[in-house]
Every structure is written in structure tokens, then in C-alpha cells.
Amino acid sequence: MTMPNCPKCNSEYTYVDGEMFVCPECANEWSANDVDSAEDVLTAKDAHGNTLVDGDSVTVIKDLKVRGSSMVVKQGTMIKGIRIVEGDHNLDCKVNGTSLQLKSEFMKKA
Ligand SMILES: [Zn+2]
């Protein structure tokens, strides 16, 4: 098992004490769970303000014209396995086999 560097002083000489990691150099203690939750997870909000995360399923609440094509994503379309991305069109997803980027504000959490 590789010890993580101390998140405070970046020391390599960390060790495990029970459930906690300990840094002998700055006396910092932290748990493995803290490290996981400290990761920046992108989220988005649906039309009702519910939080969406990677892997969620959503339903489209209005017909959406896809820019640059004649394709329309119909209201009521269920989209599975969305991925949250940065930007204005913050949902990366596949509809009928086509990769699209859509806005979370036109979705409802399924
Ligand atoms: Zn330290």
C-alpha cells in the first residue's frame, strides 16, 4: 500500500494509525475518507434544482433542437448515464447513439 503525501505539508513520511493517516512532520491527522470527499466532483442542477451527478438518468422536459443538425430531442426522452462537464451545455450524454451536450436546466431527474 502506498502512503499518500500529507495534504498539509506534502511530506512523504506519513503512516497509518488505526483509521487515520498521520504526518510526523506537521502532526496533521486525516482519514482516508476525507481524501475521497475532497475530490472536486462536478454537479449540475435540473429544472427543479435537484442535484445531478455522473451516471444519473434524466428526462427531457421540452423539445430540444440540437444545434447544427435537424435532430430534435423530444420532450419525455429518457437519457441514461449522463456525465457532468464544465460549461454552458453541462450534460454529456448519448441519445439514440448520438453523443450530445445538453443543458441540465431542460432536464428532470428520473
Ligand atoms: Zn504534514
Side-chain angles (χ1 to χ4, degrees), residues 6-11 14 23-28 30:
C6 173
K8 222 173 178 179
C9 71
N10 211 30
S11 165
T14 53
C23 171
E25 298 201 21
C26 71
N28 186 24
W30 71 102

Side-chain angles (χ1 to χ4, degrees), residues 72-85:
V72 175
V73 181
K74 290 279 184 197
Q75 178 184 353
T77 302
M78 162 87 103
I79 303 174
K80 289 183 179 168
I82 59 165
R83 211 165 58 84
I84 313 297
V85 294

